[in-house]
């Protein structure tokens, strides 16, 4: 379990950095200034976890240590000082997929540890993974990922729901985490690779 | 009081279902996929009560029991599997009016029970009733109900404000609830029936 | 310190009034009705401080006293009953600059007093000062101040960051407040006067 905790600790910070970078890149696309870069990086990097903590009644995670917000601002600076073409859109999408699967599982695990029942806990995993990007898109005024048929929120739901279901069935926490993470990751990667989407509502 | 409590308990769940359905119908209108249906149903169904609970310092109501979010997801499934024409727009508006009046009174009553003074408590009633729909409209990118001259927020304000005023004057809680509920309901129904609106600001 | 506390107390209410008025004016620009005026005034006047209190784990400031929300609704009424031309856009911008600098310092000071470390505390100052206006713009569907190159968020960051840095270096709280306030105020006033902006991201 110790190696797993250490891995989770670093994956957590890595996810903040990756999501922060996608926020800064959204600002770069519209030629915003450095302050807007920082704002977008922070909202995207810590937004989902912030909403999760408020909902489950936990202290907001970046209020009592400086690292998460510092990582976001650092990601904004890195994006600011590098030309956009060195950020291959596709590569970033793969990294974002890792962050998505990791955050879904973490978010659900944190909710369970605060005594939240399975169904809302799984929803908290999806909130942690997806709301940062949704806040970023609302602020930027672009159609949010949740409005696109792309398999994105679905992958988060599979990761969080799978983890919670396995834990509820009595599986060891670490194994359930690994399984939920891998399930969400594979689904998201498949969706990027083959551009999978869900069918829309058809009025019959 | 016992019959009243029971009625309120079921009205509460009925309001979550009706608001959830209006969220799913907003997703249906734009041919979204099933995940987006669930997302919209949840945001619209529990969004207002969530903000109220965060503001008054109460545990978020759908975090410690699974029913509210399950009702929202169920409403999304029902809308998904039925053709849109069986959802008469007008009928849904009437149901929405009942939910609006009920939520305004409940929200204000919950705030009062947490020791919030009358004015902010009345505002909490309006927040409970209206913010779910406002979140839905912001996410969908359509002009929010609060930006239209229609009498909607006004009916919520009458229900919540009337209830709080009557309770503050010493009226029995159940009677004040019934009076606030009926006042908001009648105003909203009249607004739907005769398309009543408020005058806009006129620059003199 | 006593005269300073008294001054801060009144500055706080004055800032709520000024921000509330800018919210109501945004509603006036689009000929909204009186209910929308009140809604915009409240969101703009108390929105930033509300988010700050939720994040730092403090009771939301306008929940336990009625004055802040009453001031917002009062500001909405005043704007409603006066012709728009008596509200000189430029004059309001100067007042808004005072509110911006004051709120940045207050917000950071409140966060520090709740044991938040310096970096997130400075961010809380910026949140207090800027988020009300950002909520107003998102609701109104206009491009938010944080998306414009104008020096606005930057002035808030200077006020909040300057105050926190000086306090961390051991300076007396009142002096650090005055210095942060003056720094943010001068920068914002200079930005209004000479239309200063930050350079946008240039893809090299």
């Amino acid at each position: 379990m110790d190696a797993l905790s250490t891995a989770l600790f670093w994956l957590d910070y890595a996810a903040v950095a990756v999501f922060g970078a996608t926020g800064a890149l959204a600002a770069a696309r519209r030629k915003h200034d450095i302050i807007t870069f920082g704002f977008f990086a922070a909202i995207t990097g810590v937004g989902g976890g912030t909403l999760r903590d408020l909902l489950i009644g936990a202290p907001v995670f970046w209020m009592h240590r400086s690292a998460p917000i510092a990582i976001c601002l650092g990601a904004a600076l890195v994006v600011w000082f590098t030309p956009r073409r060195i950020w291959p859109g596709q590569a970033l999408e793969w990294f974002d997929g890792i962050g998505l699967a990791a955050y879904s599982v973490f978010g659900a695990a944190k909710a369970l540890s605060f005594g939240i029942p399975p169904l809302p806990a799984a929803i908290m995993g999806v909130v942690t993974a997806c709301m940062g990007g949704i806040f970023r898109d609302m602020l930027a005024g672009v159609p949010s990922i949740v409005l696109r048929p792309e398999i994105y929120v679905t992958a988060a739901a599979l990761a969080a729901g799978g983890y919670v279901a396995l834990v509820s069935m009595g599986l060891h926490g670490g194994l359930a985490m690994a399984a939920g993470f891998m399930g969400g990751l594979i689904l998201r990667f498949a969706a990027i690779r083959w551009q999978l989407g869900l069918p829309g509502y058809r009025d019959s």
Side-chain angles (χ1 to χ4, degrees), chain A:
Chain A
M1 218 20 215
D2 205 56
L4 181 69
S5 309
T6 311
L8 289 181
F9 181 83
W10 290 109
L11 255 180
D12 194 9
Y13 281 170
V16 170
V18 169
F19 281 136
T22 70
L25 282 166
R29 215 164 299 132
R30 299 172 151 236
K31 315 277 181 220
H32 282 306
D33 59 51
I34 182 70
I35 292 283
T36 308
F37 268 61
F39 204 92
F40 270 68
I43 290 247
T44 316
V46 304
T50 300
L51 182 57
R52 173 204 58 211
D53 288 346
L54 290 176
L55 292 175
I56 67 175
V60 174
F61 73 102
W62 55 281
M63 276 296 126
H64 297 284
R65 46 200 172 107
S66 301
I69 206 79
I71 290 172
C72 290
L73 300 181
L77 279 176
V78 168
V79 173
W80 177 265
F81 282 114
T82 49
R84 232 173 81 202
R85 67 186 141 65
I86 75 152
W87 292 93
Q90 194 73 0
L92 205 86
E93 263 197 297
W94 296 99
F95 278 118
D96 181 82
I98 300 174
L100 182 79
Y103 257 25
S104 304
V105 171
F106 293 168
K110 183 164 186 183
L112 285 181
S113 80
F114 272 75
I116 308 297
L119 179 59
I123 303 276
M124 286 304 95
V126 178
V127 161
T128 310
C130 302
M131 287 308 293
I134 290 173
F135 291 147
R136 174 198 62 210
D137 293 342
M138 285 177 77
L139 202 62
V142 302
S144 164
I145 189 88
V146 82
L147 299 181
R148 295 198 292 266
E150 211 179 322
I151 288 190
Y152 187 91
V153 181
T154 312
L158 177 67
Y163 161 72
V164 168
L166 291 172
V167 163
S168 301
M169 289 189 286
L171 195 71
H172 175 271
L175 287 181
M177 274 196 167
F181 175 75
M182 287 312 298
L185 193 72
I186 290 170
L187 180 57
R188 178 63 191 141
F189 276 13
I192 299 175
R193 177 68 186 77
W194 291 290
Q195 309 198 348
L196 305 181
L198 290 177
Y201 174 74
R202 284 190 316 168
D203 211 340
S204 48

